[in-house]
Amino acid sequence: MLGIVAEVFREHGYEGASLALIGEATGLGKGSLYHFFPGGKEEMARAVIAHIDGWFEDNVFAPLRDSADPLAGIDQMLEATDSYFRSGRRVCLIGAFALDESRDLFAGQIRDYFGRWVTHLADALARSGHPPGEAGELAEEAVAGIQGALTLARAANDLEVFSRALRRLRMRLGLAANI
Amino acid sequence: MLGIVAEVFREHGYEGASLALIGEATGLGKGSLYHFFPGGKEEMARAVIAHIDGWFEDNVFAPLRDSADPLAGIDQMLEATDSYFRSGRRVCLIGAFALDESRDLFAGQIRDYFGRWVTHLADALARSGHPPGEAGELAEEAVAGIQGALTLARAANDLEVFSRALRRLRMRLGLAANI
DNA sequence: GACTTATTGTACCGTTCGGTACAATGTCGG
DNA sequence: CCGACATTGTACCGAACGGTACAATAAGTC
């Protein structure tokens, strides 16, 4: 159900996601909505962010952190990212929240999400042989590249923009070009 | 005055920028606002996008297109970009619009803005010696990198993220590291 | 000064907003 | 069957939303 709410926030942004839309999408009335989320819209958004964060923790950060072979972890990260963003069809809710005033409400969660992504990727890159300083820069470049590609893909209404970005990243991070 | 309205949209997003906020920021009442923009909020946003587009046309796209030395044009692009986004303090309104539902209203203008940015940069890169295909990819990577760096800088609340991204881009696009 | 047009303030419209109250149902162990 | 608690639908609240009407004023033109 959090997934459905997430989709509404993704589609309409924090301000644009009205309780009417959320209720319609989930099939729940205000009674139920406020039963599960006494804190109202803000708590819903917070729960959605935490839910997404959890998914990334399991499917993106954990492989980066735990894979014996760091390159395999990076490959899993890229696969999971491609799958999560539906090859560019989906937008990054947390990235979108970071841009407008809703950032102030969720600043901690947003910073944490992106911070961990960059940190874990930098760590994997360092373990795969990059000098520590360079690994941090490369990780930052990679995460920013993904976010930017999502924006650009949506602006151009062309999914290929996102696929191309992932393909470039794969090579740039030290993975084979095939697959 | 369009600049002030732009700032309100940038800060609050399309949905979040209420007429009350816009009126307060500009010092204009609804009477004046609807006198200048009979089409209401949508026309305001359209005018703001066109205004931004014009600024980029003059300060970013034109140097890319018209500079005799393509590398000098690229350098001017990066300088103008850094100055426009206030080294990461500012967010890209058009990028933010691309992410949520307001994209549907302004799809044409958004696609045009990013499309021209990528095209003109690709052209300059090709003239500076990159093979045509590679130039297009590199241009896409650069524009996406800028957008992503803005998102990341704002998420981390750290302007250095944006500065680092521009520094990397400068090198990657074939410019000296200094300056 | 008179006429015309541009600009503004104010009051108001219907709708939707996020949120609350609460009685009515469903659910389930005892 | 019972009380206890979880879940829901509905009606309602005041505030804010985008937008309109229009009279009052300002600014220019002849």
Side-chain angles (χ1 to χ4, degrees), chain B residues 17-20 30 34 41:
Chain B
S18 68
L19 292 184
K30 288 191 178 186
Y34 273 84
K41 198 170 152 178

PDB file of all heavy atoms in Angstrom, chain B residues 17-20 30 34 41, chain D residues 16-22:
ATOM      1  N   ALA B  17       3.509  26.943  -5.540  1.00  0.00           N
ATOM      2  CA  ALA B  17       3.588  28.394  -5.738  1.00  0.00           C
ATOM      3  C   ALA B  17       2.179  28.954  -5.851  1.00  0.00           C
ATOM      4  O   ALA B  17       1.601  29.004  -6.933  1.00  0.00           O
ATOM      5  CB  ALA B  17       4.414  28.709  -6.983  1.00  0.00           C
ATOM      6  N   SER B  18       1.622  29.368  -4.726  1.00  0.00           N
ATOM      7  CA  SER B  18       0.255  29.889  -4.743  1.00  0.00           C
ATOM      8  C   SER B  18       0.248  31.348  -5.203  1.00  0.00           C
ATOM      9  O   SER B  18       1.265  32.037  -5.140  1.00  0.00           O
ATOM     10  CB  SER B  18      -0.356  29.788  -3.356  1.00  0.00           C
ATOM     11  OG  SER B  18       0.282  30.671  -2.478  1.00  0.00           O
ATOM     12  N   LEU B  19      -0.902  31.778  -5.678  1.00  0.00           N
ATOM     13  CA  LEU B  19      -1.016  33.170  -6.106  1.00  0.00           C
ATOM     14  C   LEU B  19      -0.741  34.108  -4.950  1.00  0.00           C
ATOM     15  O   LEU B  19      -0.230  35.210  -5.144  1.00  0.00           O
ATOM     16  CB  LEU B  19      -2.409  33.424  -6.680  1.00  0.00           C
ATOM     17  CG  LEU B  19      -2.695  32.698  -7.995  1.00  0.00           C
ATOM     18  CD1 LEU B  19      -4.056  33.074  -8.533  1.00  0.00           C
ATOM     19  CD2 LEU B  19      -1.629  33.029  -9.010  1.00  0.00           C
ATOM     20  N   ALA B  20      -1.070  33.685  -3.735  1.00  0.00           N
ATOM     21  CA  ALA B  20      -0.790  34.506  -2.562  1.00  0.00           C
ATOM     22  C   ALA B  20       0.715  34.713  -2.419  1.00  0.00           C
ATOM     23  O   ALA B  20       1.185  35.834  -2.203  1.00  0.00           O
ATOM     24  CB  ALA B  20      -1.364  33.846  -1.314  1.00  0.00           C
ATOM     25  N   LYS B  30      -3.877  40.529  -6.974  1.00  0.00           N
ATOM     26  CA  LYS B  30      -4.417  39.663  -8.018  1.00  0.00           C
ATOM     27  C   LYS B  30      -4.840  40.464  -9.240  1.00  0.00           C
ATOM     28  O   LYS B  30      -4.702  40.006 -10.375  1.00  0.00           O
ATOM     29  CB  LYS B  30      -5.616  38.892  -7.474  1.00  0.00           C
ATOM     30  CG  LYS B  30      -5.249  37.816  -6.494  1.00  0.00           C
ATOM     31  CD  LYS B  30      -6.453  36.935  -6.223  1.00  0.00           C
ATOM     32  CE  LYS B  30      -6.089  35.818  -5.267  1.00  0.00           C
ATOM     33  NZ  LYS B  30      -7.199  34.883  -5.102  1.00  0.00           N
ATOM     34  N   TYR B  34      -3.443  39.302 -12.814  1.00  0.00           N
ATOM     35  CA  TYR B  34      -4.301  38.805 -13.887  1.00  0.00           C
ATOM     36  C   TYR B  34      -4.408  39.801 -15.035  1.00  0.00           C
ATOM     37  O   TYR B  34      -4.868  39.458 -16.113  1.00  0.00           O
ATOM     38  CB  TYR B  34      -5.681  38.412 -13.347  1.00  0.00           C
ATOM     39  CG  TYR B  34      -5.695  36.984 -12.857  1.00  0.00           C
ATOM     40  CD1 TYR B  34      -5.263  36.679 -11.580  1.00  0.00           C
ATOM     41  CD2 TYR B  34      -6.060  35.940 -13.695  1.00  0.00           C
ATOM     42  CE1 TYR B  34      -5.234  35.373 -11.137  1.00  0.00           C
ATOM     43  CE2 TYR B  34      -6.040  34.636 -13.268  1.00  0.00           C
ATOM     44  CZ  TYR B  34      -5.622  34.350 -11.981  1.00  0.00           C
ATOM     45  OH  TYR B  34      -5.586  33.053 -11.545  1.00  0.00           O
ATOM     46  N   LYS B  41      -2.084  31.330 -13.512  1.00  0.00           N
ATOM     47  CA  LYS B  41      -0.847  30.702 -13.053  1.00  0.00           C
ATOM     48  C   LYS B  41      -0.121  29.988 -14.187  1.00  0.00           C
ATOM     49  O   LYS B  41       1.103  30.064 -14.292  1.00  0.00           O
ATOM     50  CB  LYS B  41      -1.215  29.710 -11.955  1.00  0.00           C
ATOM     51  CG  LYS B  41      -0.076  29.283 -11.081  1.00  0.00           C
ATOM     52  CD  LYS B  41      -0.624  28.509  -9.886  1.00  0.00           C
ATOM     53  CE  LYS B  41       0.371  27.516  -9.364  1.00  0.00           C
ATOM     54  NZ  LYS B  41      -0.131  26.797  -8.171  1.00  0.00           N
TER      55      LYS B  41
ATOM     56  P    DA D  16      -5.134  30.405   5.946  1.00  0.00           P
ATOM     57  OP1  DA D  16      -3.807  30.387   6.579  1.00  0.00           O
ATOM     58  OP2  DA D  16      -5.957  31.634   5.918  1.00  0.00           O
ATOM     59  O5'  DA D  16      -4.962  29.921   4.444  1.00  0.00           O
ATOM     60  C5'  DA D  16      -4.450  28.629   4.184  1.00  0.00           C
ATOM     61  C4'  DA D  16      -4.813  28.239   2.764  1.00  0.00           C
ATOM     62  O4'  DA D  16      -6.241  28.082   2.685  1.00  0.00           O
ATOM     63  C3'  DA D  16      -4.432  29.295   1.723  1.00  0.00           C
ATOM     64  O3'  DA D  16      -3.425  28.757   0.874  1.00  0.00           O
ATOM     65  C2'  DA D  16      -5.727  29.579   0.961  1.00  0.00           C
ATOM     66  C1'  DA D  16      -6.641  28.429   1.378  1.00  0.00           C
ATOM     67  N9   DA D  16      -8.050  28.789   1.440  1.00  0.00           N
ATOM     68  C8   DA D  16      -8.629  29.728   2.245  1.00  0.00           C
ATOM     69  N7   DA D  16      -9.936  29.824   2.093  1.00  0.00           N
ATOM     70  C5   DA D  16     -10.221  28.891   1.115  1.00  0.00           C
ATOM     71  C6   DA D  16     -11.432  28.500   0.502  1.00  0.00           C
ATOM     72  N6   DA D  16     -12.613  29.030   0.802  1.00  0.00           N
ATOM     73  N1   DA D  16     -11.365  27.524  -0.433  1.00  0.00           N
ATOM     74  C2   DA D  16     -10.161  26.990  -0.727  1.00  0.00           C
ATOM     75  N3   DA D  16      -8.971  27.281  -0.214  1.00  0.00           N
ATOM     76  C4   DA D  16      -9.073  28.238   0.712  1.00  0.00           C
ATOM     77  P    DC D  17      -2.928  29.571  -0.385  1.00  0.00           P
ATOM     78  OP1  DC D  17      -1.532  29.127  -0.585  1.00  0.00           O
ATOM     79  OP2  DC D  17      -3.268  30.995  -0.216  1.00  0.00           O
ATOM     80  O5'  DC D  17      -3.784  28.983  -1.572  1.00  0.00           O
ATOM     81  C5'  DC D  17      -3.720  27.572  -1.832  1.00  0.00           C
ATOM     82  C4'  DC D  17      -4.720  27.220  -2.913  1.00  0.00           C
ATOM     83  O4'  DC D  17      -6.043  27.359  -2.377  1.00  0.00           O
ATOM     84  C3'  DC D  17      -4.710  28.176  -4.094  1.00  0.00           C
ATOM     85  O3'  DC D  17      -3.702  27.779  -5.002  1.00  0.00           O
ATOM     86  C2'  DC D  17      -6.107  27.945  -4.678  1.00  0.00           C
ATOM     87  C1'  DC D  17      -6.943  27.576  -3.442  1.00  0.00           C
ATOM     88  N1   DC D  17      -7.899  28.628  -2.985  1.00  0.00           N
ATOM     89  C2   DC D  17      -9.202  28.646  -3.486  1.00  0.00           C
ATOM     90  O2   DC D  17      -9.526  27.801  -4.331  1.00  0.00           O
ATOM     91  N3   DC D  17     -10.066  29.587  -3.041  1.00  0.00           N
ATOM     92  C4   DC D  17      -9.673  30.480  -2.128  1.00  0.00           C
ATOM     93  N4   DC D  17     -10.548  31.385  -1.704  1.00  0.00           N
ATOM     94  C5   DC D  17      -8.331  30.477  -1.614  1.00  0.00           C
ATOM     95  C6   DC D  17      -7.496  29.552  -2.076  1.00  0.00           C
ATOM     96  P    DG D  18      -3.144  28.839  -6.028  1.00  0.00           P
ATOM     97  OP1  DG D  18      -1.904  28.257  -6.572  1.00  0.00           O
ATOM     98  OP2  DG D  18      -3.133  30.148  -5.365  1.00  0.00           O
ATOM     99  O5'  DG D  18      -4.251  28.881  -7.171  1.00  0.00           O
ATOM    100  C5'  DG D  18      -4.559  27.688  -7.863  1.00  0.00           C
ATOM    101  C4'  DG D  18      -5.714  27.947  -8.790  1.00  0.00           C
ATOM    102  O4'  DG D  18      -6.839  28.400  -8.006  1.00  0.00           O
ATOM    103  C3'  DG D  18      -5.445  29.051  -9.823  1.00  0.00           C
ATOM    104  O3'  DG D  18      -6.040  28.673 -11.066  1.00  0.00           O
ATOM    105  C2'  DG D  18      -6.107  30.269  -9.212  1.00  0.00           C
ATOM    106  C1'  DG D  18      -7.292  29.648  -8.476  1.00  0.00           C
ATOM    107  N9   DG D  18      -7.724  30.450  -7.331  1.00  0.00           N
ATOM    108  C8   DG D  18      -6.931  30.979  -6.347  1.00  0.00           C
ATOM    109  N7   DG D  18      -7.589  31.661  -5.448  1.00  0.00           N
ATOM    110  C5   DG D  18      -8.903  31.572  -5.867  1.00  0.00           C
ATOM    111  C6   DG D  18     -10.078  32.126  -5.286  1.00  0.00           C
ATOM    112  O6   DG D  18     -10.192  32.815  -4.270  1.00  0.00           O
ATOM    113  N1   DG D  18     -11.220  31.800  -6.033  1.00  0.00           N
ATOM    114  C2   DG D  18     -11.217  31.042  -7.173  1.00  0.00           C
ATOM    115  N2   DG D  18     -12.403  30.843  -7.749  1.00  0.00           N
ATOM    116  N3   DG D  18     -10.124  30.518  -7.719  1.00  0.00           N
ATOM    117  C4   DG D  18      -9.016  30.828  -7.020  1.00  0.00           C
ATOM    118  P    DG D  19      -5.887  29.667 -12.337  1.00  0.00           P
ATOM    119  OP1  DG D  19      -6.001  28.865 -13.564  1.00  0.00           O
ATOM    120  OP2  DG D  19      -4.723  30.549 -12.142  1.00  0.00           O
ATOM    121  O5'  DG D  19      -7.215  30.546 -12.231  1.00  0.00           O
ATOM    122  C5'  DG D  19      -8.473  29.875 -12.197  1.00  0.00           C
ATOM    123  C4'  DG D  19      -9.589  30.882 -12.004  1.00  0.00           C
ATOM    124  O4'  DG D  19      -9.579  31.382 -10.660  1.00  0.00           O
ATOM    125  C3'  DG D  19      -9.532  32.109 -12.927  1.00  0.00           C
ATOM    126  O3'  DG D  19     -10.693  32.106 -13.756  1.00  0.00           O
ATOM    127  C2'  DG D  19      -9.491  33.295 -11.974  1.00  0.00           C
ATOM    128  C1'  DG D  19     -10.058  32.703 -10.687  1.00  0.00           C
ATOM    129  N9   DG D  19      -9.601  33.386  -9.471  1.00  0.00           N
ATOM    130  C8   DG D  19      -8.315  33.479  -9.006  1.00  0.00           C
ATOM    131  N7   DG D  19      -8.220  34.163  -7.892  1.00  0.00           N
ATOM    132  C5   DG D  19      -9.522  34.535  -7.605  1.00  0.00           C
ATOM    133  C6   DG D  19     -10.040  35.284  -6.515  1.00  0.00           C
ATOM    134  O6   DG D  19      -9.435  35.792  -5.567  1.00  0.00           O
ATOM    135  N1   DG D  19     -11.423  35.434  -6.613  1.00  0.00           N
ATOM    136  C2   DG D  19     -12.201  34.932  -7.633  1.00  0.00           C
ATOM    137  N2   DG D  19     -13.507  35.169  -7.562  1.00  0.00           N
ATOM    138  N3   DG D  19     -11.727  34.224  -8.649  1.00  0.00           N
ATOM    139  C4   DG D  19     -10.385  34.065  -8.574  1.00  0.00           C
ATOM    140  P    DT D  20     -10.967  33.273 -14.836  1.00  0.00           P
ATOM    141  OP1  DT D  20     -11.683  32.662 -15.971  1.00  0.00           O
ATOM    142  OP2  DT D  20      -9.707  34.029 -15.025  1.00  0.00           O
ATOM    143  O5'  DT D  20     -12.001  34.219 -14.066  1.00  0.00           O
ATOM    144  C5'  DT D  20     -13.176  33.635 -13.542  1.00  0.00           C
ATOM    145  C4'  DT D  20     -14.068  34.730 -12.990  1.00  0.00           C
ATOM    146  O4'  DT D  20     -13.514  35.237 -11.750  1.00  0.00           O
ATOM    147  C3'  DT D  20     -14.248  35.949 -13.908  1.00  0.00           C
ATOM    148  O3'  DT D  20     -15.641  36.197 -14.034  1.00  0.00           O
ATOM    149  C2'  DT D  20     -13.487  37.068 -13.186  1.00  0.00           C
ATOM    150  C1'  DT D  20     -13.596  36.642 -11.732  1.00  0.00           C
ATOM    151  N1   DT D  20     -12.514  37.118 -10.835  1.00  0.00           N
ATOM    152  C2   DT D  20     -12.836  37.837  -9.716  1.00  0.00           C
ATOM    153  O2   DT D  20     -13.980  38.135  -9.419  1.00  0.00           O
ATOM    154  N3   DT D  20     -11.766  38.202  -8.936  1.00  0.00           N
ATOM    155  C4   DT D  20     -10.417  37.926  -9.166  1.00  0.00           C
ATOM    156  O4   DT D  20      -9.546  38.314  -8.395  1.00  0.00           O
ATOM    157  C5   DT D  20     -10.162  37.175 -10.361  1.00  0.00           C
ATOM    158  C7   DT D  20      -8.745  36.834 -10.707  1.00  0.00           C
ATOM    159  C6   DT D  20     -11.199  36.802 -11.133  1.00  0.00           C
ATOM    160  P    DA D  21     -16.194  37.302 -15.066  1.00  0.00           P
ATOM    161  OP1  DA D  21     -17.389  36.732 -15.706  1.00  0.00           O
ATOM    162  OP2  DA D  21     -15.063  37.774 -15.886  1.00  0.00           O
ATOM    163  O5'  DA D  21     -16.634  38.491 -14.102  1.00  0.00           O
ATOM    164  C5'  DA D  21     -16.895  38.220 -12.728  1.00  0.00           C
ATOM    165  C4'  DA D  21     -17.451  39.481 -12.079  1.00  0.00           C
ATOM    166  O4'  DA D  21     -16.492  39.975 -11.109  1.00  0.00           O
ATOM    167  C3'  DA D  21     -17.703  40.651 -13.033  1.00  0.00           C
ATOM    168  O3'  DA D  21     -18.796  41.400 -12.544  1.00  0.00           O
ATOM    169  C2'  DA D  21     -16.385  41.412 -12.987  1.00  0.00           C
ATOM    170  C1'  DA D  21     -15.965  41.227 -11.525  1.00  0.00           C
ATOM    171  N9   DA D  21     -14.506  41.159 -11.333  1.00  0.00           N
ATOM    172  C8   DA D  21     -13.579  40.623 -12.189  1.00  0.00           C
ATOM    173  N7   DA D  21     -12.340  40.697 -11.754  1.00  0.00           N
ATOM    174  C5   DA D  21     -12.459  41.322 -10.519  1.00  0.00           C
ATOM    175  C6   DA D  21     -11.510  41.685  -9.545  1.00  0.00           C
ATOM    176  N6   DA D  21     -10.209  41.469  -9.668  1.00  0.00           N
ATOM    177  N1   DA D  21     -11.967  42.283  -8.420  1.00  0.00           N
ATOM    178  C2   DA D  21     -13.283  42.499  -8.300  1.00  0.00           C
ATOM    179  N3   DA D  21     -14.274  42.204  -9.146  1.00  0.00           N
ATOM    180  C4   DA D  21     -13.785  41.604 -10.246  1.00  0.00           C
ATOM    181  P    DC D  22     -19.381  42.587 -13.445  1.00  0.00           P
ATOM    182  OP1  DC D  22     -20.839  42.593 -13.209  1.00  0.00           O
ATOM    183  OP2  DC D  22     -18.849  42.492 -14.818  1.00  0.00           O
ATOM    184  O5'  DC D  22     -18.755  43.869 -12.737  1.00  0.00           O
ATOM    185  C5'  DC D  22     -18.622  43.889 -11.319  1.00  0.00           C
ATOM    186  C4'  DC D  22     -17.794  45.080 -10.885  1.00  0.00           C
ATOM    187  O4'  DC D  22     -16.415  44.698 -10.672  1.00  0.00           O
ATOM    188  C3'  DC D  22     -17.756  46.229 -11.912  1.00  0.00           C
ATOM    189  O3'  DC D  22     -17.892  47.439 -11.230  1.00  0.00           O
ATOM    190  C2'  DC D  22     -16.365  46.099 -12.504  1.00  0.00           C
ATOM    191  C1'  DC D  22     -15.596  45.698 -11.252  1.00  0.00           C
ATOM    192  N1   DC D  22     -14.242  45.157 -11.504  1.00  0.00           N
ATOM    193  C2   DC D  22     -13.253  45.285 -10.523  1.00  0.00           C
ATOM    194  O2   DC D  22     -13.530  45.838  -9.454  1.00  0.00           O
ATOM    195  N3   DC D  22     -11.998  44.806 -10.767  1.00  0.00           N
ATOM    196  C4   DC D  22     -11.730  44.227 -11.939  1.00  0.00           C
ATOM    197  N4   DC D  22     -10.496  43.773 -12.131  1.00  0.00           N
ATOM    198  C5   DC D  22     -12.718  44.088 -12.945  1.00  0.00           C
ATOM    199  C6   DC D  22     -13.949  44.560 -12.700  1.00  0.00           C
TER     200       DC D  22
END
